Amino acid sequence: MAASTPCQNATEKKHWWLTNRKMVEKYIKDARSLIATQEQSEITSALNLLDAALAIYPRLEQALELRARSLLYLRRFKDVADMLEDYIPSPRMANDDSASVSSDGSSQQLSREGVKLLSSSDSSGSDQSFKCFSVSDLKKKVMAGLCRSCDKEGYWRYLVLGKACCHLGLMEDAMVLLQTGKRLATAAFRRESVHWSDDSFSEPATPPPGPPLPESETATQLLAHIKLLLRRRAAALAAVDAGLHSEAIRHLTKILDGRRGAPQGFLAECYMHRASAQRSAGRIADSIADCNRALALDPTCILALHTRASLLETIRCFPDSLHDLEHLKLLYNTILRDRKLAGPAWRRHSVRYGEIPGRLCALATKIQELKHRIASGDTGNVDYHALIGLRRGCCRSELQRAHLLLCLKHKPDKAMSFIERCELADERNLESVKDRARMSALLLYRLLQKGYTNVMGVIMNEEAAQKQRKKVLEAQVEAEILEKNKCTVSSPSTANPSVFQGVFCRDLAVVGNLLSQAAFNRSIPVKYEALSC
């Protein structure tokens, strides 16, 4: 009886293992049928089944692939990135500096991995004798090792993760991943063809592993769109470095106002590049509007908050600048409290974690300075001319033209039109993005209206002062003419005022005055004398 107990335990373990395997196979089969319906509710149910399967076998390749594709279909791109985070190139490139210290150890590790790649699976440790081999045998071993490594990891990761990274705005990572996925798919087909006989040119009974044609075409089209966006952004950045700000704005506007939409993160980055170019070109209102759009898409964008606060301080709008700096200080404190930058690890930031304490100290000093200026009453000298983009002493027509153009561009009713060309990473955030865009656009529009009223008042005061100066000048001219006429009339004869002496005179005004005084209905007595020039 005691001898039969271990046999019974082994049978129970084997039965338990087979039961779990059958359950997992059933979960995967049901999930495939649900995914084939292409309905969101059914795919959500399939995700639950796949999670149950992965709870039993966490490294099951089929379940991982189906789960990743289901998340991609449901547009849960962040979940896909979190699931396959280790395959995103940029976080690994960020760790290259720390890995460069141990370069010798890594090279040795790579050499050991190469030896493992060349070693066959059926080699035993008992036979270590030297054997002659041919080039064809070496080629077969290398291809078999590559095939095993590809089958182990699966190139579907690169294609699925590349699409997810594109929708998340990680364009460079998406391009690398999609190119790698296409290259691995082609290499997988070539490795599969190695196993075919030399005389066989027909397709095998089982199709070679590779992505289906529609997915391959979609990846190719998406890759072409990514390359176009990256080329335009590179041209814009080159124009900024060369000082051609109008050219940079033109390239970035092609991206932002294109007929085909772009991802949310990439658009926020492009809005910040255009805001910097417009600030350098002197377009303060347009630069603030781009910062508003960037913050509507990404409310934790440190660069956008810092740029907008600096722009508002430039035009001496200190209360609004102080509000942005307080928000920025809150973000810095949150980062220091959590001991990491905001967002997931694969997200790119414009600052590093080590720079936050120094930035926070400088920010606290700036906030105290602005509070002191506001307390001293330095809040009414806003430079509205710089906000609207006009020179001081401009005329009424220039102000009206500039104000009309700004109102057409930054009207609150049109403030949310850019969201239609934006591919949001999560559709559930649509309403919050609209609310942020509406509120920021309304504040900018009110500031523009206030600036128009202020500048128009200055122009009207200048026009009234100019009219007053003109009236005073005209009065002075008339007084001088009257005085001159009086002197000319009284000078010819003092003995007989009714007799006029003949004088050679070139002043027609004086002659006309004399004729008007003499009238035309009676004769003018004239005393003839010799004329002298």
Side-chain angles (χ1 to χ4, degrees), residues 298-403:
D298 184 8
T300 61
C301 184
I302 295 176
L303 181 60
L305 277 172
H306 185 271
T307 303
R308 190 172 69 177
S310 178
L311 288 168
L312 292 172
E313 184 183 1
T314 301
I315 61 175
R316 296 195 293 272
C317 189
F318 298 127
D320 294 336
S321 178
L322 180 62
H323 181 268
D324 284 342
L325 292 180
E326 292 284 358
H327 189 187
L328 190 59
K329 182 181 178 181
L330 182 62
L331 284 179
Y332 285 162
N333 289 328
T334 304
I335 291 172
L336 292 178
R337 182 195 64 195
D338 298 339
R339 296 184 178 180
K340 69 180 187 67
L341 295 172
W346 43 262
R347 181 182 174 184
R348 284 179 294 186
H349 299 274
S350 58
V351 297
R352 296 181 180 179
Y353 178 77
E355 300 174 357
I356 299 299
R359 286 173 173 261
L360 186 59
C361 293
L363 184 62
T365 305
K366 193 69 176 178
I367 289 175
Q368 291 298 326
E369 179 184 350
L370 286 182
K371 286 183 177 180
H372 178 71
R373 298 184 71 172
I374 292 173
S376 62
D378 190 8
T379 57
N381 298 324
V382 181
D383 189 0
Y384 291 112
H385 289 84
L387 174 66
I388 301 176
L390 294 172
R391 59 177 177 82
R392 292 191 176 272
C394 61
C395 62
R396 185 191 294 260
S397 60
E398 292 177 352
L399 173 62
Q400 291 176 347
R401 181 178 179 275
H403 179 257

Side-chain angles (χ1 to χ4, degrees), residues 2-250:
S4 63
T5 304
C7 184
Q8 265 185 352
N9 292 335
T11 305
E12 289 177 0
K13 287 182 180 180
K14 185 176 180 181
H15 179 70
W16 169 79
W17 181 79
L18 289 175
T19 303
N20 286 344
R21 183 176 179 180
K22 289 180 180 179
M23 288 174 59
V24 170
E25 289 177 354
K26 184 178 182 302
Y27 289 155
I28 292 177
K29 183 179 178 181
D30 294 342
R32 287 184 185 275
S33 61
L34 291 173
I35 292 172
T37 59
Q38 300 293 321
E39 296 181 3
Q40 290 192 356
S41 58
E42 300 295 335
I43 294 177
T44 305
S45 303
L47 272 178
N48 296 330
L49 294 175
L50 293 171
D51 289 337
L54 289 172
I56 300 174
Y57 292 129
R59 295 182 177 272
L60 187 59
E61 192 73 11
Q62 295 179 0
L64 288 173
E65 180 179 0
L66 290 176
R67 186 175 187 275
R69 293 187 183 277
S70 300
L71 291 173
L72 184 65
Y73 182 83
L74 294 175
R75 301 185 63 84
R76 293 167 59 177
F77 307 118
K78 294 182 180 179
D79 294 336
V80 177
D82 292 336
M83 177 181 172
L84 303 174
E85 179 183 348
D86 296 335
Y87 291 86
I88 300 178
S90 55
R92 290 187 293 176
M93 290 175 64
N95 297 328
D96 284 346
D97 296 336
S98 60
S100 62
V101 179
S102 59
S103 59
D104 297 335
S106 61
S107 60
Q108 294 176 1
Q109 183 179 1
L110 288 176
S111 62
R112 288 195 298 269
E113 289 179 358
V115 172
K116 290 180 181 180
L117 183 64
L118 293 175
S119 62
S120 59
S121 59
D122 56 348
S123 61
S124 60
S126 59
D127 189 7
Q128 299 293 336
S129 60
F130 177 80
K131 292 182 179 180
C132 295
F133 60 91
S134 63
V135 177
S136 61
D137 293 336
L138 179 61
K139 181 179 177 181
K140 288 181 180 179
K141 288 184 179 182
V142 172
M143 298 306 295
L146 289 174
C147 189
R148 283 198 304 274
S149 63
C150 182
D151 291 340
K152 183 178 179 181
E153 293 189 356
Y155 53 82
W156 60 267
R157 287 174 167 82
Y158 299 96
L159 295 175
V160 174
L161 184 58
K163 295 178 182 178
C165 287
C166 176
H167 291 289
L168 291 173
L170 306 175
M171 293 303 197
E172 293 86 354
D173 295 331
M175 183 178 66
V176 172
L177 290 168
L178 290 175
Q179 288 176 342
T180 305
K182 290 181 63 179
R183 186 169 61 250
L184 289 178
T186 305
F189 178 77
R190 291 176 180 174
R191 286 192 297 270
E192 185 69 19
S193 64
V194 171
H195 301 284
W196 299 350
S197 62
D198 296 338
D199 299 331
S200 175
F201 295 97
S202 60
E203 294 185 357
T206 59
L213 186 60
E215 184 180 5
S216 178
E217 290 180 354
T218 304
T220 303
Q221 295 175 1
L222 187 60
L223 190 59
H225 182 56
I226 291 172
K227 289 181 178 179
L228 175 63
L229 294 177
L230 290 179
R231 281 197 299 267
R232 285 180 173 173
R233 190 185 67 177
L237 295 179
V240 170
D241 294 338
L244 305 174
H245 304 296
S246 299
E247 188 72 10
I249 293 171
R250 184 177 67 86

